[in-house]
Amino acid sequence: MAKILLAGAARRDITPEVGTLLYGYNPHQVSTSVHDPLNVTAAAFSDTKETVLLLTVTVGDFQTALADEIRHKIGEVCAIPWENVVISATHTHSAPNVAGFEGWGDVDRPYVDKFLLPAMLSVSVEAVNRMQPAVIGIGTCESNVGINRREHTRSGHIGLGQNPWGCYDPVMTVISVRGTDGTGILNMIHYGCHGTA
C-alpha cells in the first residue's frame, strides 16, 4: 500500500505596536518603527495516521514553560498530541521578550496574550485545515554568508567580530513541499548562523 503525505502551511503577522520593549538589548530599548514584520509560520504534516506541526516564530528565544503552554493549547485546538508540536525561534533581537531569561527581564505576557498566542493558535488550525496530498524534495548547497564571530586580534584578544577561519557550517538545506498538482505549499531553509544584520 502506497504511503500518503499530507501537508499544509499558513502564516500570521505577530508584529507588536511601535514602542514595545525589545529582547536582547539594554533594559529600556523599545522599537521606534517597523522595518520588517514579525511572523509565525506553521507547517502541518500527516501520514493520515499521525499529524505533526512545525512552527517557526520571529522572536529571540522561547522560555520552556511558555513554549510548553503554547504547545498544549495548539494540541487541544488541532486535536493532536502536544508532543507533536515543535516550536522554533529565529533568534531575532528585534522582537518582544518571550524568553524570560535572567538578566533580560520577564516574559512580555501582554504581547503573548494579545498577539503571539492567538496568532499561533489560528495559524496552526489553518495549516492543519489546508493539508493536501503532497510531495517533498530536498537539496543542499554551500553558502558562505555565515562566519565565526570569535575574532582573534593581533594582540591575542578574542572578542566578537569576524573570524573567517573559524569553524562554522556552510551547508544550507532546502526542502520544498508541493501539492501533487504542482502547486507550492511551503519552502523551508535550514542554515546555521547567528544573524547580526
Side-chain angles (χ1 to χ4, degrees), residues 23-25 58-61 89-95 145-150 160-162 168-169 191-197:
Y23 167 74
Y25 293 100
T58 314
V59 294
D61 293 298
T90 64
H91 195 73
T92 181
H93 286 250
S94 298
V145 298
I147 196 163
N148 189 300
R149 300 188 320 151
R150 300 294 180 245
L160 289 180
Q162 293 187 1
Y168 78 99
D169 184 358
Y191 183 64
C193 71
H194 184 267
T196 56

Coordinates of all heavy atoms in Angstrom, one line a residue, residues 23-25 58-61 89-95 145-150 160-162 168-169 191-197:
Y23 N 13.8 42.5 23.0 CA 14.6 41.5 23.7 C 16.1 41.5 23.3 O 16.4 41.6 22.1 CB 14.0 40.1 23.4 CG 14.9 39.0 23.8 CD1 15.0 38.6 25.2 CD2 15.6 38.2 22.9 CE1 15.8 37.6 25.6 CE2 16.3 37.1 23.3 CZ 16.4 36.8 24.6 OH 17.2 35.7 25.0
G24 N 17.0 41.4 24.2 CA 18.4 41.2 23.9 C 19.2 42.5 23.8 O 20.4 42.5 23.5
Y25 N 18.6 43.7 24.2 CA 19.3 44.9 24.2 C 19.3 45.4 25.6 O 19.1 44.6 26.6 CB 18.5 46.0 23.3 CG 18.6 45.7 21.9 CD1 17.5 45.1 21.2 CD2 19.7 45.9 21.1 CE1 17.5 44.8 19.9 CE2 19.7 45.7 19.7 CZ 18.6 45.1 19.1 OH 18.6 44.8 17.8
T58 N 9.2 34.5 14.6 CA 10.2 35.5 14.6 C 10.3 36.2 15.9 O 9.8 37.3 16.1 CB 9.9 36.6 13.5 OG1 9.5 35.9 12.3 CG2 11.1 37.5 13.2
V59 N 11.0 35.5 16.9 CA 11.2 36.0 18.2 C 12.7 35.6 18.6 O 13.3 34.8 17.9 CB 10.2 35.5 19.3 CG1 8.8 36.1 19.0 CG2 10.2 34.0 19.3
G60 N 13.1 36.1 19.7 CA 14.5 35.8 20.1 C 14.7 34.4 20.6 O 15.5 33.6 20.0
D61 N 14.1 34.0 21.6 CA 14.1 32.7 22.2 C 12.8 32.4 22.9 O 12.0 33.3 23.2 CB 15.2 32.6 23.3 CG 16.6 32.7 22.8 OD1 17.0 31.9 22.0 OD2 17.3 33.7 23.2
A89 N 12.4 29.3 17.3 CA 12.6 30.8 17.3 C 13.7 31.1 16.3 O 14.7 30.4 16.2 CB 12.9 31.4 18.6
T90 N 13.6 32.2 15.5 CA 14.6 32.6 14.6 C 15.8 33.3 15.3 O 16.8 33.5 14.7 CB 14.0 33.6 13.5 OG1 13.6 34.8 14.2 CG2 12.9 32.9 12.8
H91 N 15.6 33.7 16.5 CA 16.6 34.4 17.3 C 16.8 35.9 16.9 O 17.9 36.3 16.9 CB 17.9 33.6 17.4 CG 18.8 34.1 18.5 ND1 18.6 33.9 19.8 CD2 19.9 34.9 18.4 CE1 19.5 34.4 20.5 NE2 20.3 35.1 19.7
T92 N 15.8 36.6 16.6 CA 15.9 38.0 16.3 C 15.9 38.7 17.6 O 15.3 38.3 18.6 CB 14.7 38.5 15.4 OG1 15.0 39.9 15.2 CG2 13.4 38.3 16.1
H93 N 16.6 39.8 17.6 CA 16.6 40.7 18.8 C 15.7 41.9 18.6 O 15.6 42.7 19.5 CB 18.0 41.3 19.1 CG 19.0 40.3 19.7 ND1 19.4 40.3 21.0 CD2 19.5 39.1 19.1 CE1 20.2 39.3 21.2 NE2 20.3 38.5 20.1
S94 N 15.0 41.9 17.5 CA 14.0 42.9 17.2 C 12.6 42.5 17.4 O 11.7 42.7 16.6 CB 14.2 43.4 15.8 OG 15.5 43.9 15.6
A95 N 12.4 41.8 18.6 CA 11.0 41.3 18.9 C 10.9 41.4 20.4 O 11.8 41.6 21.2 CB 10.9 39.9 18.5
V145 N 27.7 32.9 3.6 CA 27.4 34.1 4.3 C 27.6 34.0 5.8 O 27.7 35.0 6.5 CB 25.9 34.6 4.0 CG1 25.7 34.8 2.6 CG2 24.9 33.5 4.5
G146 N 27.6 32.8 6.4 CA 27.8 32.6 7.8 C 29.3 32.8 8.1 O 30.2 32.6 7.2
I147 N 29.6 33.2 9.3 CA 31.0 33.4 9.7 C 31.1 33.1 11.2 O 30.2 33.4 12.0 CB 31.5 34.8 9.3 CG1 33.0 34.8 9.3 CG2 30.9 35.8 10.1 CD1 33.6 36.0 8.5
N148 N 32.3 32.7 11.6 CA 32.6 32.5 13.0 C 32.8 33.9 13.6 O 33.5 34.7 13.1 CB 33.8 31.6 13.2 CG 34.0 31.2 14.7 OD1 34.2 32.1 15.5 ND2 34.0 30.0 14.9
R149 N 32.1 34.2 14.7 CA 32.2 35.6 15.3 C 33.2 35.7 16.3 O 33.4 36.8 16.9 CB 30.8 35.9 15.9 CG 29.7 35.9 14.9 CD 28.4 36.5 15.4 NE 28.1 36.1 16.8 CZ 27.4 36.8 17.7 NH1 26.9 37.9 17.3 NH2 27.2 36.4 18.9
R150 N 34.0 34.7 16.6 CA 35.1 34.8 17.6 C 36.4 35.3 16.9 O 37.2 34.5 16.5 CB 35.3 33.4 18.3 CG 34.1 32.9 19.0 CD 33.8 33.8 20.2 NE 32.6 33.3 20.9 CZ 31.4 33.9 21.0 NH1 31.3 35.1 20.4 NH2 30.4 33.4 21.7
L160 N 34.0 39.6 19.9 CA 33.0 39.5 18.9 C 33.5 40.3 17.7 O 33.9 41.4 17.8 CB 31.6 40.0 19.3 CG 30.9 39.2 20.3 CD1 29.6 39.8 20.7 CD2 30.7 37.7 19.8
G161 N 33.5 39.6 16.5 CA 33.9 40.2 15.3 C 33.7 39.3 14.1 O 32.7 38.6 14.0
Q162 N 34.7 39.1 13.3 CA 34.7 38.2 12.2 C 35.9 37.3 12.2 O 37.1 37.9 12.1 CB 34.5 38.9 10.9 CG 33.2 39.6 10.7 CD 33.0 40.2 9.4 OE1 33.9 40.1 8.5 NE2 31.9 40.9 9.2
Y168 N 32.4 26.9 11.2 CA 31.0 27.2 11.0 C 30.5 26.2 10.0 O 31.3 25.6 9.2 CB 30.7 28.6 10.6 CG 31.0 28.9 9.1 CD1 30.0 29.0 8.2 CD2 32.3 29.2 8.7 CE1 30.3 29.2 6.8 CE2 32.6 29.5 7.4 CZ 31.6 29.5 6.4 OH 31.8 29.7 5.1
D169 N 29.2 26.0 9.9 CA 28.7 25.0 9.0 C 28.2 25.7 7.7 O 27.2 26.5 7.8 CB 27.5 24.2 9.7 CG 27.0 23.1 8.8 OD1 27.4 23.0 7.6 OD2 26.1 22.4 9.3
Y191 N 19.7 26.8 7.9 CA 21.1 27.3 7.8 C 21.5 27.7 9.1 O 20.9 28.6 9.8 CB 21.2 28.4 6.8 CG 22.6 28.9 6.5 CD1 23.5 28.0 6.0 CD2 22.9 30.2 6.9 CE1 24.8 28.5 5.7 CE2 24.2 30.6 6.7 CZ 25.2 29.8 6.1 OH 26.4 30.2 5.9
G192 N 22.6 27.2 9.6 CA 23.1 27.5 11.0 C 23.9 28.8 11.0 O 24.9 28.9 10.3
C193 N 23.3 29.8 11.6 CA 24.0 31.1 11.7 C 23.5 31.9 12.9 O 22.4 31.5 13.5 CB 23.9 31.9 10.5 SG 22.3 32.6 10.2
H194 N 24.2 32.8 13.3 CA 23.7 33.8 14.3 C 23.7 35.1 13.6 O 24.7 35.8 13.5 CB 24.7 33.8 15.5 CG 24.1 34.7 16.6 ND1 24.5 36.0 16.8 CD2 23.3 34.5 17.7 CE1 23.9 36.5 17.8 NE2 23.1 35.6 18.4
G195 N 22.6 35.4 13.1 CA 22.4 36.6 12.3 C 22.8 37.9 13.0 O 22.4 38.1 14.2
T196 N 23.5 38.8 12.4 CA 23.9 40.0 13.0 C 23.4 41.3 12.2 O 23.7 42.4 12.6 CB 25.4 40.1 13.1 OG1 26.0 40.0 11.8 CG2 26.0 39.1 14.1
A197 N 22.7 41.0 11.1 CA 22.3 42.2 10.3 C 20.9 41.9 9.8 O 20.5 40.7 9.7 CB 23.2 42.4 9.1

